[in-house]
Amino acid sequence: MIRFAAVVLFLPLLLFSCDREAQKQAAEAAAKAAQDSVKWAAYQAANWRNHGCELISDQDMVEIFDIDPARDVLNTGTLPDQAFCIRKWNKPDWKERESANEKEGATYLDPNNSLIVQVFSYGTDEHARLQMEMLQRDRRDTYEEDIPNLGEGALWSTTTVTLLVRKGHSMVSIALNCMDTPHDNLAKAMEVAEVALKKM
């Protein structure tokens, strides 16, 4: 009887101890997961290598460009060990454009849209700033337009339909071809940049 009473008294203590150990392990696991999450976010912010398509996700593409991935045949590609992502999708009137392109003497109308996003890391904020200043000074034949109030400096090239935006030690390059008039791509490229900058 005494043994039974001792077991009855000891059992709740044992259960309480096991429960506390389980709680402690769960708390440690949660803290490690949070720490890993912070490290991952810091890594992404510093280096988008092999994660370029996360900077502008498929969902971002749907929202910015009103794409139906199945209907518009959205394709995504990356390059290994690069902070690079290319996406292509059909224009709404792609069939008509392809038919028109086959006619003799027709002016070519691209039936596809494309977006290429690439991140370049310059190691330090100062190096990135100097790179942007060099482009502004020496490459005006290509990057002819300063874009105010975007990142920490931005340049647009109509000839290459490319927007360059600096943030910290990085520069994001957004080459967008979705409008028939090259300069008309700038407005959507800026929308893409705004989404990317929030993640950098």
Side-chain angles (χ1 to χ4, degrees):
M1 183 70 176
I2 293 173
R3 284 185 186 163
F4 178 73
V7 168
V8 169
L9 288 172
F10 180 70
L11 190 58
L13 253 160
L14 181 63
L15 291 173
F16 178 73
S17 174
C18 289
D19 187 46
R20 287 195 65 180
E21 185 60 30
Q23 286 177 347
K24 180 181 172 190
Q25 288 176 353
E28 287 173 356
K32 184 177 183 333
Q35 186 179 30
D36 289 347
S37 174
V38 168
K39 284 181 182 175
W40 172 242
Y43 173 81
Q44 277 189 318
N47 181 357
W48 286 89
R49 193 177 333 172
N50 293 321
H51 300 282
C53 289
E54 293 171 30
L55 194 56
I56 300 296
S57 68
D58 285 349
Q59 185 58 41
D60 295 328
M61 293 292 294
V62 167
E63 291 172 10
I64 296 169
F65 297 100
D66 193 27
I67 295 173
D68 177 326
R71 178 196 68 209
D72 301 324
V73 194
L74 177 62
N75 290 304
T76 300
T78 62
L79 293 174
D81 295 322
Q82 301 288 320
F84 177 92
C85 184
I86 182 170
R87 288 196 167 86
K88 290 190 172 194
W89 68 101
N90 290 336
K91 292 184 182 293
D93 60 344
W94 68 273
K95 288 181 185 176
E96 292 83 354
R97 286 169 177 258
E98 284 189 348
S99 294
N101 288 338
E102 291 173 6
K103 294 178 181 169
E104 191 174 327
T107 301
Y108 179 77
L109 295 172
D110 198 337
N112 304 111
N113 298 306
S114 65
L115 172 69
I116 301 171
V117 177
Q118 193 166 11
V119 181
F120 302 97
S121 175
Y122 291 94
T124 68
D125 293 9
E126 180 65 7
H127 281 112
R129 186 185 65 75
L130 291 171
Q131 177 68 18
M132 180 65 80
E133 285 181 1
M134 184 274 295
L135 291 170
Q136 287 173 311
R137 184 183 63 243
D138 301 337
R139 296 286 306 279
R140 276 303 180 185
D141 56 331
T142 303
Y143 296 99
E144 75 278 0
E145 192 173 343
D146 291 323
I147 306 302
N149 306 316
L150 186 64
E152 295 164 18
L155 297 171
W156 169 254
S157 168
T158 299
T159 54
T160 64
V161 290
T162 301
L163 177 65
L164 290 179
V165 186
R166 184 175 76 83
K167 182 169 183 182
H169 62 83
S170 297
M171 193 114 51
V172 60
S173 168
I174 298 164
L176 176 62
N177 183 18
C178 70
M179 306 297 282
D180 291 324
T181 303
H183 193 273
D184 291 348
N185 289 288
L186 175 57
K188 279 293 182 187
M190 289 172 67
E191 285 186 47
V192 172
E194 294 284 5
V195 172
L197 289 168
K198 288 176 186 172
K199 297 181 186 180
M200 292 176 71

